[in-house]
Amino acid sequence: MTDSVPSGRRDIRQSIVEFLGTFQYTCFHFSHKGQRVNDFAELSEIEGFTPQSELTLVEDPYTEKDARLHFLRIRELVGATGDRIDTVQGISAGLSLYESVSAEEARRSSTPAANEKATPEGSKPHAMADYSFDAPGSFSTLLPPPEQPAPKTIKSMSLSPWNPPPYHLRQRGHHLYLQVTTNEGEQHQITGNVTGFFVNKSSNSKFDPFPKPSKSYSAHSLLTLISTLSPSFESSFLALQEFNNRKDPLSTYQFSNALPSNPWVVPSPSSPLSNHQSDLTRTQESLLVSGLENAESLRDWNEEFQSTRELPSETVQERVFRERLTSKLFADYTDAAVRGAIMVARGEVPPLNPTEARDAQIFVYNNVFFSFGADGVGTFAADGGDEAARVATGKDVTGVRAVNQLDIEGLFTPGTVVVDYLGKRLVGQSIVPGIFKQRAPGEHQIDYGGVESRDVVAENEAFVPVFEKLSKAIRVKKHAVWDKEGKRHDLEGSVETKGLLGTDGRKYVLDLYRVTPLDIPWIEDHWVEGGEGDTTESSIASYPHRMSVLRPELIDAYWKLKMREYVSAELANRRQAKESTQSSSTEKTIESGSAVNGSEDKQVTNTSMAEDAKDQTPAKSEPEPERIDVSKFTFALNPDVFCGQAPQTSEEKENYERDEAEVRAACDFLRTRVMSDLVHDLKEGDVGHPMDGQSLCRLLHQRGINVRYLGKIADLAKEHDARLESLRSLATQEMVSRAFKHVANRHMRHLPSPFATSCVAHLLNCLLGTDFNEEPVAEIDETLRSLYPEANFSFSEVTPDSLRKEIEAQVHLRYRFQLGSDWFSNVKHPQLLREISLKLGLQLEAKDYFKKDSALEGHPLNQLTNGVSKHPKPNGASSGGKKKKKHGDKGSPASSTLSVDQSAPTTFRSENVLNIVPIVKEASPRSTLAEEALEAGRMSLEQNQKELGQELLLESLSLHEQIYGILHPEVARYYSQLCMLYYRLEEKNAAVELARKAVIVSERTLGVDSTETVLSYLNLGLLEHANGNTQQALGYIRHALELWKVVYGEDHPDSITTLNNAAVMLQHLKQYHESRLWFEASLQISEKIFGKQSPNTATLLFQLAQALALDQDSKGAVNRMREAYNIFLASLGANDKNTKEAESWLDQLTQNAVSIAKHAKDLQARKIRRLNFTPHVSLGTRPQPQVGQSSTTAENGDPRSSIDLDSRSIDELMKFIEGGGESSKQATQKKRHGRSNPKRRGGPTGAPIGAIA
């Protein structure tokens, strides 16, 4: 054994607990040469320990906690745990579909042909054989197929009713009593004590917890004891292990440092996938985990957070331990806060101030302080009331996360989580010591910053150093503010950002919701200040709140712009000074010239001055690049301008006006440049297009654009051609879904929780169910309604017409965008339903809601017998039978998971909303150590230091997995990056393995249908193809395309690349006709998006011509190549290389077509010369870029040069076609190295897989 960073005693212990031959041990210690080894010691700290030394496992006596945890562990091992009902983790939480996708392709590939020897390679089955381009997406794509139940090793295993042990038996070492029923039907009462477990003499009616005299069964491990009691246990347990081993470990790991993803479409409650089993111990797990007194679950969260922040971080080992503990602590706190928030929202936690109004009430549960994200005490009355308070809580989480990431020594933040649940927003914070302390008269509750709505400003010199560091990092200018008496106070941060000196002596920063300036043009254009109850027309049309601030990403982008301007100005000044020096040197002496050079010392650094002098003297070597001293460059903004500050003196007013001008310039930068640049990049295909609302908002945020500008983005997209139609439709869909979310939250906010599903179902019927029922009626149980006489059931009065008008009003109010009169008919219903479900946390029953007869499936005429249809069809299959949909060859594996309605003819019913899960925003920081290792590895690879780069990448991988745990979104993203880096290093097997992990972890943490999961599947398919597993690759590509249909629909701009990749893979399998169809589908989308005369379309025509030639359609190949040539000629000119190459191809294809037609008449000459291309003629596959990721540009920067065709010359290709042999292949390989990567999304797919930026 050797010692390393993670290889301590604890890691060896964990390995033993998980190892197949030793997992029955949970309570033990190690000894070395008869001496006990400290559980927390590193191996290197053990005296006399060498790589050849042995550690001996010694069984320990059990404590009461050890016995409880051992029982839980054995229950999991033997498969005795039933399904868990968790308030945080919803139905099918952490689901992964990877194994079912892989298994389906393996099943297809293993299907024997009727005569395998006689079966040509091109006729073997493949994943794309029955794929339909026109079939809509099916929700069954998001469901796992039914599987066989796991082997049963034991009938039941639970705590005995005789628990807990009496006092006199506790003194004798009894910890707990168990009740076990074996598969043979025998029931055994078992005592757990300090020595282990033994069968006692108790029964259901008699208590005698001492060993049986006749059959003295006992063992240190409960697993060993059960195997002794049940003859069939060993065989069934072995079968269970084999069953579990068929699954990928990543798909079964428990979550430790992240919340699992909750799918929005889940199986029906009657499905085998949702089978609710009887398990008595499920109700006892809180006792088993937390103990009788429940004291183990009560933690001082604030002390843990701050103590972790104060841990040393000098060495790498210290940083690893600190960041690992931080990640785990944030995950534990988030889990506890979400559980508490759900209980508060459901009214199960009593408030600390029950006499206050509901929105002003505060709660404490599990040492977490909860409050509503509403303006209960009037703090935001002047800024928008409840709307402003809701926004402020979300911004506060973002600010806390930024401060946590900066990790400023001496500055502390409380743990902060925001939870949206059942229309309510709750904020959970760790309790800061002293925040509830009663201050002496004259003392402020806050020690630094604004108090009492900025009327009073507190100052404390102790906070200045730490706030100065914070302000410098987030580019906040030190500025003056004035209190209500006109007294000036100089603050390092916003007046809203407060400092509190806790009773523990630590300096806490609070209220970080306004660390950036206001977007003042937006406020001036759309905000009208009005008191509550103001019904004037201007007030009603006003933006809901005044908390419209700029994003930190925009401040960073603007800082970079100002930095470039500063550097450019310095370079211009230097060149001007240099030119004046050179001109004066012709008239003056050398001494006077030296004096001029000396005068430049005020503008440049000594290093720069030396370089200038070197440039002025003749030298044979080239001058070094000019360097600019940027230490004098400063940039910071005042976040308190336009916030009612009243400067007193003329100097103060002048400085204040200057600060206002700087903020306005930043706002203008957003409006005039950032948004237009984004739209331009999307139009030109410079970045990956978003697929859904989440990826669109993430792209906007990356550019520093607020979501309130969705209307502006939609307008800008509308001004351009059809290539931005996807952006416009996505922006419109996102605005509608967000407007619906606000409407639904308003109705659910004060609604009793039993009516939440009825409310959601009725609103969905009014929005998406009018095609079937134009006048839906809300389902309300009148018996339940009578129990809540004061509840607001206004949702039942909503009609489709009133809901549409309210959505239109909300969209105009929040995004300043006018929905057209036909917006409802243009919106994509399945995709809109998905967006709404994700925003509200809905988990809907899997069902084809938008099939015309879906609402009648539950009527008596269409009743099912025992849940099985008389005429089963694949989910989503068309009744006409013209098109086969996904899984049509499976005999409907998901048919048992899809449900039918039972009575009312409405699209959505309350029982279709199976669950509502919380939407969580948390403030955990990223690991700086893991990111530093990744960046160092990349730099080493760029410097051609391959071995060092690989070592650093492996170290970064190890750090990611140690710090975050394997199941974490950051780890999934790192796997995706690393797999592409490894492919470029020619480590194909490692790249495929990392891509596989990226898929599984993405599914379990981000969602089975998240955009990142779709892209992970696409890249896995490309890597499998590059590794020679094309059949498997096509299975992954198909699944990604089916997900794409659910997420976006049809004809996404980036799908052109994917369709081309699939076509190339089919050519590799010699499926030439199938490949031709995929190229035609790609061309059809390109013509719709880019137009028929676009160079992108011409490129696809060029590829299609090659595919037609491979399919022996010489006439079609000539026609398509002629179309490509004409487009190239018209758009690029006759001298462009693409035009010339297309012309050469056209001539040769025409000659060969004539030759084929001529020789076809001669029945004697059957050896005609045919265009028998190989797949190498077609362009290679290319990976899909992440949303918003830049695609690689052509070397010379000319967009036209990015439209690259086949890299070989026409002469070489014709030699190869006519039997040129290996020489042509070698020439081809040599020329391929010079191929440039296409720039446009609709361009060719000729770049190698590793060419992604």
Side-chain angles (χ1 to χ4, degrees):
M1 294 182 183
T2 58
D3 188 20
S4 62
V5 172
S7 66
R9 259 279 302 107
R10 305 294 297 177
D11 297 282
I12 302 174
R13 184 186 187 90
Q14 187 66 27
S15 300
I16 288 177
V17 171
E18 296 175 355
F19 185 62
L20 183 62
T22 58
F23 50 35
Q24 68 269 27
Y25 298 107
T26 61
C27 185
F28 59 88
H29 71 269
F30 288 114
S31 68
H32 178 246
K33 296 182 179 180
Q35 298 294 321
R36 178 166 182 154
V37 178
N38 189 300
D39 284 350
F40 297 94
E42 297 289 336
L43 296 181
S44 58
E45 298 174 0
I46 303 175
E47 184 177 355
F49 190 85
T50 65
Q52 289 74 33
S53 298
E54 293 184 356
L55 291 177
T56 305
L57 186 149
V58 181
E59 295 174 343
D60 279 339
Y62 286 94
T63 64
E64 192 261 347
K65 179 180 179 180
D66 292 335
R68 286 189 282 107
L69 297 182
H70 179 82
F71 173 62
L72 286 173
R73 171 65 176 161
I74 299 304
R75 265 176 51 85
E76 293 179 356
L77 286 177
V78 302
T81 54
D83 56 315
R84 287 187 172 92
I85 308 300
D86 195 294
T87 56
V88 176
Q89 302 179 10
I91 305 170
S92 301
L95 174 67
S96 173
L97 302 177
Y98 168 80
E99 292 203 351
S100 60
V101 175
S102 301
E104 172 60 22
E105 182 52 39
R107 182 195 63 77
R108 184 185 293 109
S109 301
S110 63
T111 303
N115 186 354
E116 193 167 343
K117 293 183 179 179
T119 303
E121 184 179 353
S123 62
K124 291 182 180 179
H126 57 85
M128 302 301 186
D130 59 342
Y131 182 81
S132 173
F133 296 103
D134 299 326
S138 173
F139 293 158
S140 63
T141 306
L142 310 181
L143 300 177
E147 61 180 15
Q148 295 296 325
K152 201 165 185 64
T153 62
I154 197 168
K155 282 191 176 180
S156 68
M157 191 175 175
S158 63
L159 290 177
S160 168
W162 298 113
N163 277 292
Y167 294 106
H168 68 285
L169 293 178
R170 287 191 197 180
Q171 303 303 318
R172 301 181 63 174
H174 288 209
H175 294 318
L176 70 165
Y177 304 123
L178 310 176
Q179 187 172 285
V180 174
T181 304
T182 64
N183 281 345
E184 290 78 14
E186 296 182 1
Q187 186 183 84
H188 300 276
Q189 299 283 342
I190 296 175
T191 297
N193 69 351
V194 292
T195 62
F197 299 86
F198 61 82
V199 179
N200 62 37
K201 295 184 289 186
S202 296
S203 65
N204 291 333
S205 58
K206 177 186 176 182
F207 178 62
D208 189 355
F210 297 101
K212 285 186 176 181
S214 57
K215 296 182 179 180
S216 181
Y217 295 120
S218 64
H220 186 267
S221 172
L222 184 58
L223 186 69
T224 307
L225 179 61
I226 295 174
S227 63
T228 306
L229 297 175
S230 175
S232 64
F233 177 79
E234 289 191 4
S235 59
S236 59
F237 186 63
L238 181 60
L240 177 64
Q241 298 305 310
E242 294 175 352
F243 177 84
N244 291 335
N245 289 337
R246 293 204 300 263
K247 300 180 180 179
D248 191 289
L250 278 178
S251 65
T252 59
Y253 282 162
Q254 296 296 316
F255 283 82
S256 60
N257 287 23
L259 292 176
S261 171
N262 293 302
W264 67 276
V265 169
V266 293
S268 164
S270 60
S271 165
L273 296 172
S274 303
N275 188 19
H276 189 55
Q277 303 170 0
S278 174
D279 182 14
L280 179 62
T281 313
R282 184 167 49 221
T283 62
Q284 304 167 342
E285 284 192 348
S286 59
L287 167 68
L288 291 166
V289 172
S290 304
L292 286 172
E293 306 300 330
N294 201 31
E296 297 170 21
S297 62
L298 296 178
R299 300 167 62 176
D300 187 344
W301 296 109
N302 190 76
E303 182 60 31
E304 289 190 47
F305 273 121
Q306 316 318 335
S307 299
T308 303
R309 185 181 292 275
E310 291 172 336
L311 288 174
S313 58
E314 299 298 325
T315 65
V316 174
Q317 288 81 1
E318 290 175 344
R319 291 183 65 186
V320 170
F321 179 75
R322 182 174 183 263
E323 292 190 358
R324 187 176 183 178
L325 187 59
T326 299
S327 178
K328 177 61 176 172
L329 179 58
F330 270 97
D332 290 348
Y333 174 75
T334 300
D335 184 82
V338 173
R339 294 181 190 279
I342 291 175
M343 295 186 68
V344 171
R346 289 183 171 272
E348 299 174 11
V349 179
L352 299 181
N353 52 343
T355 59
E356 299 287 342
R358 175 65 174 170
D359 290 341
Q361 290 177 350
I362 56 177
F363 309 81
V364 173
Y365 181 80
N366 201 4
N367 280 344
V368 180
F369 172 72
F370 293 100
S371 59
F372 288 104
D375 192 24
V377 295
T379 304
F380 298 94
D383 295 323
D386 288 346
E387 289 277 1
R390 186 181 181 93
V391 172
T393 55
K395 298 292 184 184
D396 185 43
V397 173
T398 305
V400 172
R401 185 188 305 116
V403 176
N404 290 339
Q405 191 66 47
L406 293 172
D407 196 15
I408 298 172
E409 185 178 359
L411 187 62
F412 301 89
T413 59
T416 306
V417 171
V418 170
V419 179
D420 291 326
Y421 183 65
L422 298 181
K424 307 170 185 66
R425 170 162 289 190
L426 291 113
V427 184
Q429 294 179 304
S430 61
I431 302 174
V432 176
I435 195 169
F436 296 126
K437 178 183 176 183
Q438 293 294 329
R439 302 288 182 115
E443 286 187 345
H444 301 306
Q445 197 73 21
I446 297 299
D447 296 290
Y448 190 81
V451 186
E452 299 176 4
S453 301
R454 304 188 294 267
D455 290 340
V456 179
V457 179
E459 291 186 87
N460 189 327
E461 290 299 322
F463 281 86
V464 172
V466 290
F467 268 62
E468 184 179 6
K469 295 178 182 178
L470 173 61
S471 298
K472 184 177 181 181
I474 60 178
R475 301 185 175 90
V476 171
K477 176 185 290 186
K478 183 177 180 179
H479 60 281
V481 296
W482 295 264
D483 57 24
K484 63 180 179 180
E485 297 178 355
K487 182 180 178 181
R488 171 172 173 159
H489 304 268
D490 291 328
L491 296 181
E492 290 289 348
S494 168
V495 69
E496 301 287 358
T497 304
K498 301 172 178 59
L500 174 67
L501 186 62
T503 55
D504 56 359
R506 298 185 177 104
K507 303 178 185 68
Y508 293 89
V509 57
L510 308 173
D511 294 347
L512 291 159
Y513 52 81
R514 199 158 63 73
V515 295
T516 55
L518 293 173
D519 185 0
I520 192 59
W522 178 274
I523 295 174
E524 290 176 342
D525 292 343
H526 308 302
W527 160 259
V528 176
E529 185 174 357
E532 189 174 352
D534 188 353
T535 57
T536 60
E537 183 177 352
S538 60
S539 180
I540 294 175
S542 170
Y543 192 66
H545 58 84
R546 200 178 184 272
M547 295 297 298
S548 304
V549 297
L550 300 176
R551 291 195 61 83
E553 296 89 346
L554 177 77
I555 304 301
D556 290 340
Y558 190 58
W559 171 81
K560 293 176 183 177
L561 173 69
K562 303 299 289 185
M563 170 68 82
R564 286 194 295 268
E565 292 177 353
Y566 173 82
V567 171
S568 299
E570 288 294 308
L571 288 174
N573 291 337
R574 182 175 296 179
R575 293 191 192 99
Q576 184 177 1
K578 193 180 296 184
E579 291 173 359
S580 62
T581 301
Q582 291 175 352
S583 61
S584 61
S585 63
T586 58
E587 300 175 359
K588 297 182 179 181
T589 61
I590 296 177
E591 289 80 9
S592 63
S594 300
V596 172
N597 286 338
S599 66
E600 293 182 0
D601 188 47
K602 298 180 181 179
Q603 299 182 3
V604 298
T605 62
N606 292 334
T607 303
S608 301
M609 198 176 107
E611 290 175 357
D612 289 345
K614 194 181 295 182
D615 290 341
Q616 293 173 13
T617 57
K620 296 181 180 180
S621 60
E622 295 183 359
E624 294 183 5
E626 292 183 292
R627 297 179 181 178
I628 299 296
D629 179 19
V630 296
S631 61
K632 298 179 181 179
F633 171 75
T634 58
F635 171 81
L637 296 176
N638 182 352
D640 288 325
V641 293
F642 307 109
C643 292
Q645 295 296 325
Q648 303 298 310
T649 66
S650 58
E651 182 182 358
E652 292 173 348
K653 292 179 181 179
E654 183 179 347
N655 291 335
Y656 194 75
E657 291 174 357
R658 191 180 303 115
D659 291 346
E660 288 182 334
E662 291 175 351
V663 171
R664 286 191 182 275
C667 297
D668 292 340
F669 173 66
L670 168 64
R671 292 189 160 204
T672 61
R673 182 164 177 177
V674 175
M675 286 188 283
S676 58
D677 285 352
L678 172 63
V679 173
H680 177 269
D681 290 346
L682 289 170
K683 178 185 176 182
E684 297 299 321
D686 292 337
V687 296
H689 280 256
M691 297 183 195
D692 64 352
Q694 189 178 33
S695 57
L696 172 61
C697 293
R698 186 165 58 245
L699 175 60
L700 295 180
H701 289 168
Q702 289 172 356
R703 296 294 186 102
I705 304 172
N706 303 84
V707 173
R708 60 177 172 271
Y709 284 104
L710 275 172
K712 179 66 174 178
I713 296 295
D715 287 333
L716 290 174
K718 195 174 182 179
E719 295 173 1
H720 295 82
D721 50 25
R723 70 182 66 182
L724 288 181
E725 175 61 26
S726 65
L727 176 63
R728 188 200 63 78
S729 63
L730 262 185
T732 303
Q733 176 180 287
E734 181 67 6
M735 286 186 285
V736 170
S737 64
R738 285 175 173 265
F740 181 91
K741 179 192 71 173
H742 288 292
V743 174
N745 283 339
R746 179 170 56 82
H747 285 294
M748 287 195 295
R749 181 176 172 187
H750 299 298
L751 189 68
S753 57
F755 299 96
T757 57
S758 298
C759 175
V760 169
H762 180 65
L763 293 178
L764 288 176
N765 279 323
C766 292
L767 179 67
L768 301 175
T770 54
D771 288 344
F772 180 76
N773 189 335
E774 296 182 355
E775 297 180 355
V777 178
E779 297 178 83
I780 299 178
D781 188 332
E782 294 300 329
T783 304
L784 284 178
R785 182 172 185 170
S786 63
L787 300 177
Y788 301 93
E790 298 179 358
N792 183 0
F793 293 92
S794 60
F795 75 89
S796 61
E797 302 172 2
V798 176
T799 64
D801 185 59
S802 67
L803 180 60
R804 292 179 191 177
K805 289 181 179 178
E806 191 166 5
I807 287 176
E808 292 171 3
Q810 287 288 328
V811 169
H812 179 261
L813 186 69
R814 297 177 183 276
Y815 309 106
R816 300 297 153 173
F817 182 78
Q818 291 288 350
L819 291 173
S821 59
D822 58 344
W823 71 269
F824 181 73
S825 58
N826 293 332
V827 75
K828 302 173 184 176
H829 284 38
Q831 285 70 38
L832 181 58
L833 176 62
R834 175 181 178 272
E835 294 290 349
I836 290 171
S837 299
L838 293 176
K839 288 176 174 57
L840 292 176
L842 307 181
Q843 290 194 291
L844 303 179
E845 183 179 2
K847 173 184 170 184
D848 191 355
Y849 291 101
F850 305 107
K851 190 177 177 181
K852 289 186 177 180
D853 58 345
S854 64
L856 294 175
E857 289 176 358
H859 274 227
L861 293 177
N862 296 319
Q863 281 293 333
L864 304 186
T865 303
N866 295 328
V868 181
S869 175
K870 297 178 181 178
H871 303 285
K873 294 188 298 183
N875 179 51
S878 173
S879 58
K882 293 181 180 180
K883 303 281 186 181
K884 285 188 178 181
K885 299 191 179 182
K886 189 179 185 301
H887 302 317
D889 59 334
K890 295 183 182 180
S892 186
S895 60
S896 61
T897 65
L898 298 181
S899 71
V900 293
D901 283 329
Q902 297 299 319
S903 56
T906 54
T907 303
F908 300 92
R909 301 188 61 197
S910 60
E911 53 262 34
N912 296 141
V913 185
L914 300 183
N915 189 28
I916 300 179
V917 296
I919 306 299
V920 182
K921 298 180 181 179
E922 46 86 34
S924 59
R926 300 187 312 275
S927 168
T928 56
L929 183 60
E931 292 179 353
E932 288 170 4
L934 170 61
E935 191 61 30
R938 281 177 169 168
M939 292 180 63
S940 298
L941 293 178
E942 291 175 359
Q943 297 169 2
N944 294 323
Q945 299 178 3
K946 183 177 179 180
E947 291 185 4
L948 176 60
Q950 284 184 290
E951 289 181 6
L952 290 170
L953 291 178
L954 285 175
E955 183 67 21
S956 179
L957 174 61
S958 175
L959 290 171
H960 272 86
E961 293 179 341
Q962 284 185 69
I963 293 169
Y964 294 117
I966 295 179
L967 296 179
H968 195 281
E970 291 297 327
V971 176
R973 297 182 181 109
Y974 181 71
Y975 283 150
S976 296
Q977 297 177 54
L978 195 59
C979 72
M980 303 311 299
L981 290 174
Y982 265 78
Y983 183 81
R984 294 171 193 166
L985 295 173
E986 299 297 325
E987 299 283 350
K988 295 183 180 180
N989 291 329
V992 169
E993 178 64 17
L994 288 167
R996 182 188 64 82
K997 290 184 176 182
V999 165
I1000 299 176
V1001 180
S1002 292
E1003 285 184 321
R1004 301 198 66 195
T1005 60
L1006 299 170
V1008 292
D1009 61 342
S1010 73
T1011 56
E1012 293 180 66
T1013 299
V1014 175
L1015 295 173
S1016 295
Y1017 266 112
L1018 292 174
N1019 282 336
L1020 175 59
L1022 296 180
L1023 292 173
E1024 286 280 17
H1025 167 66
N1027 211 26
N1029 302 322
T1030 304
Q1031 289 277 9
Q1032 191 72 30
L1034 285 173
Y1036 298 136
I1037 297 295
R1038 171 168 183 158
H1039 182 68
L1041 289 172
E1042 296 286 2
L1043 291 176
W1044 215 326
K1045 287 183 178 180
V1046 175
V1047 173
Y1048 174 81
E1050 301 173 357
D1051 301 342
H1052 189 274
D1054 287 351
S1055 64
I1056 297 174
T1057 301
T1058 303
L1059 296 179
N1060 280 14
N1061 289 340
V1064 172
M1065 294 179 190
L1066 289 168
Q1067 286 184 349
H1068 182 79
L1069 297 177
K1070 299 184 180 180
Q1071 298 279 352
Y1072 298 130
H1073 182 70
E1074 293 275 350
S1075 173
R1076 161 187 178 171
L1077 299 179
W1078 283 77
F1079 276 123
E1080 289 174 346
S1082 176
L1083 174 64
Q1084 184 179 0
I1085 299 175
S1086 179
E1087 289 178 343
K1088 183 183 297 185
I1089 296 175
F1090 299 104
K1092 292 187 176 182
Q1093 301 302 315
S1094 165
N1096 302 84
T1097 302
T1099 304
L1100 295 174
L1101 286 167
F1102 187 98
Q1103 298 176 56
L1104 179 58
Q1106 295 178 335
L1108 292 171
L1110 287 167
D1111 198 27
Q1112 307 301 330
D1113 185 357
S1114 57
K1115 183 178 179 180
V1118 170
N1119 292 335
R1120 291 300 192 181
M1121 190 60 71
R1122 182 178 291 110
E1123 293 179 37
Y1125 167 72
N1126 291 334
I1127 296 174
F1128 281 140
L1129 181 63
S1131 59
L1132 304 180
N1135 295 325
D1136 187 84
K1137 64 175 183 178
N1138 295 315
T1139 307
K1140 294 179 180 179
E1141 190 166 1
E1143 184 179 19
S1144 299
W1145 270 91
L1146 179 61
D1147 292 341
Q1148 293 295 337
L1149 289 173
T1150 303
Q1151 294 175 12
N1152 280 277
V1154 172
S1155 177
I1156 290 174
K1158 180 178 180 181
H1159 289 300
K1161 298 179 181 179
D1162 189 357
L1163 298 179
Q1164 301 296 328
R1166 295 188 179 276
K1167 295 182 179 181
I1168 60 176
R1169 185 167 66 106
R1170 295 187 177 187
L1171 284 175
N1172 208 8
F1173 294 155
T1174 71
H1176 292 291
V1177 177
S1178 293
L1179 302 174
T1181 57
R1182 183 180 61 180
Q1184 200 78 35
Q1186 297 287 332
V1187 175
Q1189 182 182 20
S1190 299
S1191 55
T1192 328
T1193 56
E1195 292 181 3
N1196 59 1
D1198 188 352
R1200 295 175 300 175
S1201 66
S1202 65
I1203 309 171
D1204 247 0
L1205 304 179
D1206 196 281
S1207 59
R1208 290 175 283 184
S1209 67
I1210 189 67
D1211 295 334
E1212 291 171 331
L1213 286 169
M1214 294 312 300
K1215 286 180 182 179
F1216 183 79
I1217 294 169
E1218 296 173 352
E1222 294 297 323
S1223 60
S1224 60
K1225 288 185 180 181
Q1226 295 171 1
T1228 299
Q1229 293 173 356
K1230 290 179 181 179
K1231 294 206 63 147
R1232 279 190 175 187
H1233 291 295
R1235 180 185 299 171
S1236 60
N1237 193 35
K1239 177 181 178 183
R1240 297 179 183 269
R1241 299 266 57 78
T1245 56
I1249 283 186
I1252 188 170

